[in-house]
Amino acid sequence: MKTFKNYLVGGATFILLLTLVACSEPTSEKSAAEAKLITEQDTVFIGFLLDTLQDERWYNDKELFEEEVANLGGRVKTLAANGLDDVQISQAELLIEEGVDVLVVVPRDAAASAAIVELAHEADVKVISYDRLITNSDLDYYISFDNERVGELQAQEIVNNVDTGNFAYIGGAESDNNAILFRQGAMNILQPLIDSGDIELVYDQYTEGWNPDVAEENMLSALDEQGDDIDAVVAANDGTAGGVINALSTVGLDGEIPVSGQDAELNAVRRIVDGTQTMTVYKSINTLAVQAAEMAFKVAAGDDIPTETTVNNGQIDVPSILLEPITVTEDNIDETIIQDGYLNEEDIYTTP
């Protein structure tokens, strides 16, 4: 059951997406259904807070997470904040009031989302940070990929193609802790080459809001500053890579220099096939969503979650599960994302 509500925040209207899984009541009886969720003591009720549903990747997470919660016999309400911090905090308050057993959060802003953890803990509700880390808080658990490793894979594949010359780094949103980790990982690979003088990092800029249009503007600035003399680009995800490639196309360099990405989005994989993007990083969203749902159920039951590592969020060492990312190039598309069922061959290889 899906319903949409319009809200006015800061003079702008946004759409709030509400999703209830395994709920048989019709939309007209929504209030009664929500009340029933609170009183069903044997049913796990999970709140899933997303930063946005504007990116292809997050639709996949949403559907897979909800499906697994339903398979486990629980209920989930998914709310998307459309990139607004105050909205996400208000949505957390709403779900806490409705009686969720646990909150699973993709934070809009790593630091601002600490308020969500505080609100949840006041109501004895635990919080799992999903994919992105909530910083400066007593966060209960974190599940993601080894994001520093993601950055290493991005930079290494670019260096495998070009290991001298002028490099540009087009990062993600600095407000997202993952973007900082991606850059840190990339610099693990690039810094020795910078120190040796083999490469020069001539442009290094984060991308506000992960916005591809901003990434395109940044890349145009880099090209202008360097007189189009750019030999390689490490872009933090597939969205920013798309913006970079648009900018390169204006000077005839698309397909001529290597560009990294991440998330294995359909358009990015098509660009890899076409030769304008060098690589992406596949993070098995299937695995992430399923394990996050299973973790949420255990947390709701009061079980301790066995973890092999911790990640410091600026306040505590958060018990964490970090999954392994995979480099995808034109040589291994079939045995990675297609074999895993993440994307299908027809969509990738058929011209839209």
Side-chain angles (χ1 to χ4, degrees):
M1 179 180 69
K2 298 180 181 178
T3 61
F4 295 85
K5 292 184 178 181
N6 291 329
Y7 286 81
L8 186 66
V9 176
T13 301
F14 72 94
I15 298 175
L16 178 66
L17 170 63
L18 308 179
T19 306
L20 287 178
V21 173
C23 182
S24 59
E25 293 83 357
T27 302
S28 62
E29 297 177 10
K30 180 173 176 293
S31 296
E34 289 176 354
K36 186 176 181 181
L37 286 172
I38 300 172
T39 59
E40 288 183 348
Q41 298 301 319
D42 294 334
T43 301
V44 172
F45 180 22
I46 299 170
F48 191 28
L49 292 174
L50 293 171
D51 164 20
T52 181
L53 281 171
Q54 295 177 350
D55 297 333
E56 172 193 322
R57 179 260 157 100
W58 297 113
Y59 278 102
N60 293 331
D61 288 81
K62 171 185 173 296
E63 296 298 327
L64 290 164
F65 183 82
E66 291 174 348
E67 180 181 355
E68 183 61 20
V69 170
N71 290 340
L72 293 169
R75 299 174 186 265
V76 58
K77 177 180 282 186
T78 301
L79 303 182
N82 285 6
L84 299 170
D85 295 329
D86 54 347
V87 171
Q88 189 166 58
I89 292 170
S90 296
Q91 290 173 341
E93 290 179 306
L94 172 66
L95 291 174
I96 292 166
E97 289 173 0
E98 290 184 1
V100 292
D101 296 300
V102 61
L103 280 177
V104 179
V105 182
V106 180
R108 164 68 182 91
D109 181 280
S113 297
I116 293 175
V117 178
E118 183 176 353
L119 288 167
H121 285 181
E122 288 174 357
D124 294 324
V125 174
K126 291 189 176 183
V127 179
I128 299 170
S129 199
Y130 181 105
D131 193 58
R132 300 174 180 173
L133 181 66
I134 299 174
T135 60
N136 302 320
S137 65
D138 292 324
L139 180 66
D140 297 289
Y141 293 101
Y142 174 47
I143 182 168
S144 185
F145 292 85
D146 186 338
N147 291 308
E148 188 171 330
R149 180 62 179 153
V150 170
E152 290 175 346
L153 293 177
Q154 292 173 322
Q156 186 59 62
E157 190 59 35
I158 295 305
V159 169
N160 288 347
N161 285 266
V162 174
D163 59 4
T164 59
N166 292 336
F167 278 50
Y169 187 83
I170 304 296
E174 193 170 10
S175 61
D176 180 353
N177 188 68
N178 281 3
I180 296 170
L181 293 174
F182 297 149
R183 185 186 180 281
Q184 183 174 318
M187 293 307 293
N188 291 344
I189 304 298
L190 299 180
Q191 194 62 55
L193 294 170
I194 294 171
D195 293 341
S196 68
D198 289 326
I199 70 172
E200 182 177 358
L201 190 61
V202 297
Y203 193 85
D204 183 3
Q205 184 67 46
Y206 285 106
T207 303
E208 184 176 356
W210 291 95
N211 189 327
D213 293 336
V214 175
E216 182 174 351
E217 292 171 6
N218 288 343
M219 192 63 218
L220 288 170
S221 295
L223 290 166
D224 183 60
E225 291 174 11
Q226 298 300 315
D228 300 344
D229 185 16
I230 301 288
D231 297 294
V233 182
V234 180
N237 77 339
D238 289 337
T240 55
V244 165
I245 291 164
N246 285 344
L248 292 175
S249 70
T250 67
V251 294
L253 288 177
D254 53 316
E256 298 299 316
I257 67 174
V259 179
S260 70
Q262 176 224 159
D263 285 336
E265 293 186 352
L266 176 59
N267 285 335
V269 178
R270 285 173 172 167
R271 290 194 295 265
I272 291 172
V273 172
D274 291 340
T276 56
Q277 184 169 324
T278 305
M279 61 86 72
T280 187
V281 178
Y282 174 50
K283 303 181 298 186
S284 177
I285 306 303
N286 299 31
T287 302
L288 177 63
V290 168
Q291 290 201 22
E294 292 173 350
M295 177 186 286
F297 264 69
K298 291 177 182 177
V299 169
D303 297 338
D304 289 329
I305 308 299
T307 59
E308 295 183 357
T309 189
T310 61
V311 174
N312 189 278
N313 74 345
Q315 184 160 313
I316 65 169
D317 292 326
V318 182
S320 302
I321 295 175
L322 299 181
L323 308 173
E324 186 67 22
I326 301 169
T327 296
V328 175
T329 68
E330 62 179 345
D331 297 324
N332 69 340
I333 290 173
D334 291 356
E335 57 264 40
T336 54
I337 52 180
I338 292 178
Q339 183 173 297
D340 204 27
Y342 184 70
L343 296 174
N344 67 65
E345 183 175 3
E346 182 178 0
D347 286 342
I348 292 171
Y349 294 105
T350 302
T351 303

